[in-house]
Each structure stands twice: as structure tokens, then as C-alpha cells.
Amino acid sequence: MIRSSEPFLAVAFDMDGLMFDTEDVYWKAASALLGKRGFIYTDELCADIMGRPPQYCFETFKKMFSLPEAWQELQRESEDFFLQFLDDGFSEMPGLHELLDILDAKHYRKCICTSSSIRVVSEVLKRKGLTERFEFVLTAEDITAGKPNPEIYLKAAEQFGVKPHQMLVLEDSTAGTQAAKAAGCLCIAVRAEHNKTSDLSAAHQMANSLNDKQILQHFL
């Protein structure tokens, strides 16, 4: 089933790679973190950790490269690099503002559900002036089990006070689409350069941008 007979009452956005073209910034940060230690960040490793929470990502680094630091220390250092590379600039993904304007005009409630930390999320949203356009933000610090576990989307629906099938989820990663599906939400995955080979089969629909008709048809 593509959607329930009940109307959508809320929309949950992933952030990195979905709202903002920040995957390249993460690539630079991870490359700097590992390069400093004599290792190379690869496409395969990137694909494995895309959409996953910090603990999973940096414990993967620790295991793969036998790094002695605690995963939290690696996270902090990586985020320092990330915030530094943000100064080089980053853009919104195509269609973001058009979609937000439509949702605002139709009075849809909106939130962000991201595997990133609150430190990163706050800085990214502040730099683009979008903090106030979302009712709330859930980050890695707000959950105990990260994507593909459905916890973050179940918690978002609960915070909205709606049933999961009344919340539309927009995602761009394998883990994210799996989390949304497991939560019982309708999920639309958005293809872009960074996820062109990702398995997004858990999504109910596919789109090529945030203002794709596959998304907008649900609100117009």
C-alpha cells in the first residue's frame, strides 16, 4: 500500500544528503580524520556508514583500523573537521525551499530526524537560517538505537501525537529508508549523486529531488 486512507499530518526529514549537500563535507572530515592516522577513507566504507549514528560509524573505524581512541574522541575530532570544512560552503539540495514553502502554506507539521549530533545539526541549520522552520529536531543523542532501527521515527510520531502511518518520511540512505519502513511510515527516498548506488528498496516511492512530483502530489 502506498498510503493510508488517512491524511498525512506531519513530515519527517532526514538532514544530511537529503536537505543539504553535506555528504562531501563528511567525506572531507572522514578523510582528514583517517588520513591523519595514515589510512584512506573509501567509497565502500562511506556506503557502510551512510545514515548511521556516530557510535556505529566510529566504532567501525576503530575496528577496521585498530584505532586506540574511544569512539567519542574520534567523533569529536571528526566533527571539528566537519565544522571547519563547512566554512568552504555547502548548498541546499534541489527543491528544499519549494517543498518547505508548500508544507508551510498547507500547515503541515515538520521535524528533522537525523543520525548526526546536535552539535552538527545546530550549526548546519543556523548557517542556512532554517532552525525555526521545524517543530523539533531529533538527533543521535535523543535515541538509544540508531537507524535502521525505527526508534527515531517512532519517537517523532509520538512527539507529533500522530500515528506512524500519518507521518511521511523523506530519506536518502539505506539505513534511513529501512528505519522509516520498520516504523510503519510511508517513506519516499530521494536519489542524488552521493546515493546513486545505494539500496533504497525499502522506500515506498522514489524521487529525484525534493520538489519531484512523487513528493509534491501528496500535498497539492
Side-chain angles (χ1 to χ4, degrees):
M1 180 183 293
I2 292 300
R3 67 173 296 176
S4 166
S5 59
E6 295 183 63
F8 291 121
L9 301 177
V11 183
F13 288 73
D14 177 51
M15 189 183 79
D16 296 296
L18 186 280
M19 292 174 56
F20 305 107
D21 188 11
T22 46
E23 293 302 333
D24 184 56
V25 185
Y26 276 107
W27 180 280
K28 291 178 181 178
S31 295
L33 179 76
L34 294 178
K36 179 180 176 180
R37 293 162 172 82
F39 302 108
I40 297 175
Y41 188 54
T42 64
D43 288 333
E44 292 76 18
L45 182 52
C46 177
D48 178 44
I49 67 172
M50 186 180 293
R52 305 297 293 267
Q55 183 172 354
Y56 176 90
C57 298
F58 296 106
E59 285 186 343
T60 297
F61 286 8
K62 279 177 59 64
K63 181 178 180 180
M64 182 172 292
F65 302 109
S66 300
L67 302 180
E69 299 92 340
W71 71 265
Q72 295 93 336
E73 183 178 344
L74 294 172
Q75 176 189 0
R76 182 76 186 187
E77 185 178 343
S78 180
E79 288 179 356
D80 287 343
F81 280 126
F82 180 89
L83 297 178
Q84 173 187 329
F85 290 128
L86 275 185
D87 292 335
D88 295 335
F90 65 99
S91 60
E92 295 92 344
M93 294 299 280
L96 174 62
H97 286 283
E98 180 179 346
L99 177 56
L100 290 178
D101 288 344
I102 289 172
L103 294 178
D104 285 345
K106 299 287 186 176
H107 305 292
Y108 280 95
R109 301 167 70 187
K110 308 182 300 299
C111 76
I112 294 173
C113 294
T114 174
S115 296
S116 293
S117 70
I118 189 61
R119 180 186 181 208
V120 166
V121 176
S122 297
E123 187 63 27
V124 169
L125 292 177
K126 182 177 72 174
R127 292 190 185 211
K128 293 301 182 181
L130 292 175
T131 304
E132 302 303 319
R133 298 197 70 171
F134 295 88
E135 188 170 326
F136 60 88
V137 176
L138 295 180
T139 71
E141 287 94 332
D142 297 306
I143 56 174
T144 57
K147 302 173 185 177
N149 187 286
E151 180 185 356
I152 196 166
Y153 287 119
L154 292 173
K155 189 169 184 177
E158 181 180 12
Q159 192 157 332
F160 276 132
V162 303
K163 299 173 183 177
H165 67 263
Q166 295 175 313
M167 186 174 75
L168 175 65
V169 172
L170 299 173
E171 267 287 355
D172 73 309
S173 70
T174 300
T177 56
Q178 291 172 344
K181 182 178 182 179
C185 305
L186 185 141
C187 178
I188 302 179
V190 181
R191 283 284 186 196
E193 181 62 27
H194 69 277
N195 66 357
K196 62 184 180 182
T197 61
S198 298
D199 178 7
L200 303 178
S201 59
H204 298 89
Q205 294 179 355
M206 299 294 301
N208 293 314
S209 68
L210 288 171
N211 59 353
D212 190 303
K213 65 179 181 180
Q214 291 296 327
I215 297 175
L216 299 186
Q217 68 179 346
H218 294 289
F219 310 109
L220 297 178

